[in-house]
């Protein structure tokens, strides 16, 4: 495993300042890693280090998350159409014409959307981490409730306790990773309290852009080599939907990750090794 730490960078894309992390030499084949709904690019720290000797790994923060710009028109901007404009400009400015895509949860759905439309000829390998082309209504309702109203805490320690509970389905995360996970998930608000590092209005995508989560037509149009990871206890990607994805569209390979739910953290060898093997094909 490479000991290379990521380089933190910024670039303006489609009118937004986008923060991203980068591992590996710019001469290596590019891999874009896109995080889940309320997460940040640092979620790929472990996986990216594993890949960085063979790939240039780039992990952006989506607008409204982490250190990227927040929207002043959240009803319009938090959707795949706008994210697609950003990614297109992002790749063009970084000189990336062909790439592999790894997406966790929302990042996986966005990868489906891209690979079945504007990036159909640009994504060679697509890794979808624990999401399908259709979102169960009960899952959408749960996400809107907890993401749209993030709690505030007096201390980082209290925030860490909270994150350990809500992200327990990620599976195995060592103690020192939890502290890092918490630190890059935190922001301080005007009253001095600490909350999560995202704009709560990102949930508008589930209310005003519901078609972003019903994308079977995009999935069926994918020509990329495709790998699907599913958490054994996932409540977002049923086993039935995962199996259906192996029989239509790109007819994805399916790997079930034992001992976790939504979504596998991509930080243990059984998960990172299968991704490395897939990308090397």
């Amino acid at each position: 495993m490479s000991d290379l730490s990521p380089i933190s960078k910024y670039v303006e894309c489609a009118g937004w300042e986008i923060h991203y992390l980068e591992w590996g030499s710019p001469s290596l084949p590019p891999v874009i890693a896109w995080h889940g709904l309320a997460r940040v690019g640092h979620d790929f720290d472990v996986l990216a280090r594993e890949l960085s000797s063979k790939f240039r790994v780039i992990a952006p923060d989506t607008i409204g998350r982490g250190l990227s710009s927040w929207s002043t028109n959240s009803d319009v901007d938090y959707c795949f159409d706008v994210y697609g404009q950003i990614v297109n400009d992002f790749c063009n400015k970084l000189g990336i014409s062909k790439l592999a895509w790894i997406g966790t949860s929302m990042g996986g759905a966005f990868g489906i959307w891209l690979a079945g439309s504007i990036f159909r000829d640009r994504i060679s390998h697509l890794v979808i981490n624990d999401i399908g082309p259709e979102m169960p209504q009960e899952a959408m309702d749960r996400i809107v409730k907890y993401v749209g109203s993030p709690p505030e805490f007096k201390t980082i320690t209290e925030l860490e306790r909270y994150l350990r509970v809500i992200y327990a389905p990620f599976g195995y995360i060592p103690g020192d990773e939890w502290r890092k996970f918490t630190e890059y998930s935190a922001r301080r608000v005007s009253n001095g309290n600490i909350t999560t590092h995202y704009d709560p209005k990102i949930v508008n995508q589930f209310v005003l852009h519901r078609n972003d989560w019903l994308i079977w037509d995009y999935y069926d149009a994918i020509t990329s080599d495709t790998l699907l990871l599913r958490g054994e206890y996932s409540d977002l990607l049923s086993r039935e939907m995962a199996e259906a994805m192996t029989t239509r569209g790109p007819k994805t390979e399916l790997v079930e990750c034992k001992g976790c739910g939504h979504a596998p953290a991509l930080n243990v060898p059984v998960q990172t090794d299968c991704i490395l093997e897939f990308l090397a094909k």
Side-chain angles (χ1 to χ4, degrees):
M1 182 181 77
S2 171
D3 291 328
L4 183 66
S5 297
I7 301 172
S8 178
K9 297 183 178 182
Y10 296 83
V11 62
E12 184 173 321
C13 301
W16 305 86
E17 184 179 62
I18 301 300
H19 171 253
Y20 66 100
L21 303 168
E22 185 170 345
W23 296 258
S25 169
S27 64
L28 294 172
V31 174
I32 292 183
W34 208 274
H35 59 76
L37 178 69
R39 300 301 312 141
V40 292
H42 268 296
D43 283 2
F44 295 100
D45 282 358
V46 174
L47 175 63
R49 288 197 300 267
E50 293 289 347
L51 299 180
S52 62
S53 64
K54 296 183 178 179
F55 297 95
R56 175 192 185 190
V57 183
I58 300 164
D61 293 341
T62 314
I63 57 170
R65 290 83 163 173
L67 298 176
S68 290
S69 299
W70 285 23
S71 172
T72 58
N73 190 7
S74 58
D75 290 356
V76 173
D77 294 328
Y78 293 139
C79 66
F80 289 162
D81 182 63
V82 171
Y83 303 166
Q85 296 171 35
I86 292 169
V87 169
N88 185 60
D89 196 19
F90 182 83
C91 288
N92 292 341
K93 286 188 172 177
L94 270 63
I96 298 171
S97 56
K98 199 80 171 178
L99 62 134
W101 183 278
I102 301 171
T104 290
S105 193
M106 179 202 72
F110 184 34
I112 292 171
W113 188 92
L114 287 170
S117 59
I118 62 173
F119 269 39
R120 192 165 184 262
D121 298 321
R122 297 178 73 171
I123 294 178
S124 61
H125 294 70
L126 173 64
V127 179
I128 306 167
N129 185 18
D130 206 60
I131 198 164
E134 186 173 348
M135 178 81 73
Q137 184 60 51
E138 57 271 23
M140 294 179 70
D141 293 342
R142 174 176 58 82
I143 290 167
V144 168
K145 183 177 180 180
Y146 90 84
V147 174
S149 302
E152 295 181 6
F153 302 94
K154 293 294 185 182
T155 67
I156 288 287
T157 302
E158 291 174 301
L159 175 62
E160 181 176 331
R161 292 194 195 105
Y162 167 75
L163 295 177
R164 282 175 178 260
V165 172
I166 66 169
Y167 290 114
F170 276 22
Y172 175 70
I173 299 180
D176 59 338
E177 282 190 32
W178 272 117
R179 179 50 50 91
K180 294 175 184 177
F181 185 96
T182 302
E183 289 175 348
Y184 59 66
S185 300
R187 66 182 173 92
R188 199 172 291 276
V189 292
S190 59
N191 63 7
N193 287 342
I194 295 164
T195 190
T196 46
H197 208 327
Y198 65 83
D199 180 358
K201 293 179 181 178
I202 59 175
V203 296
N204 286 348
Q205 187 176 16
F206 290 90
V207 179
L208 302 174
H209 303 277
R210 298 172 71 89
N211 286 341
D212 281 0
W213 309 104
L214 185 59
I215 48 177
W216 278 110
D217 288 347
Y218 291 83
Y219 182 77
D220 289 337
I222 293 172
T223 58
S224 314
D225 292 335
T226 308
L227 172 67
L228 175 64
L229 280 69
R230 177 183 181 271
E232 181 182 10
Y233 310 118
S234 177
D235 64 343
L236 212 64
L237 176 62
S238 68
R239 184 172 285 106
E240 292 75 18
M241 185 177 293
E243 290 174 351
M245 293 170 71
T246 69
T247 64
R248 58 188 286 185
K251 297 182 178 179
T252 183
E253 298 178 43
L254 173 61
V255 174
E256 186 162 282
C257 302
K258 303 296 183 182
C260 61
H262 179 81
L266 308 184
N267 65 342
V268 292
V270 69
Q271 297 168 18
T272 59
D273 289 352
C274 74
I275 292 174
L276 181 57
E277 181 180 348
F278 171 74
L279 294 178
K281 290 181 180 178

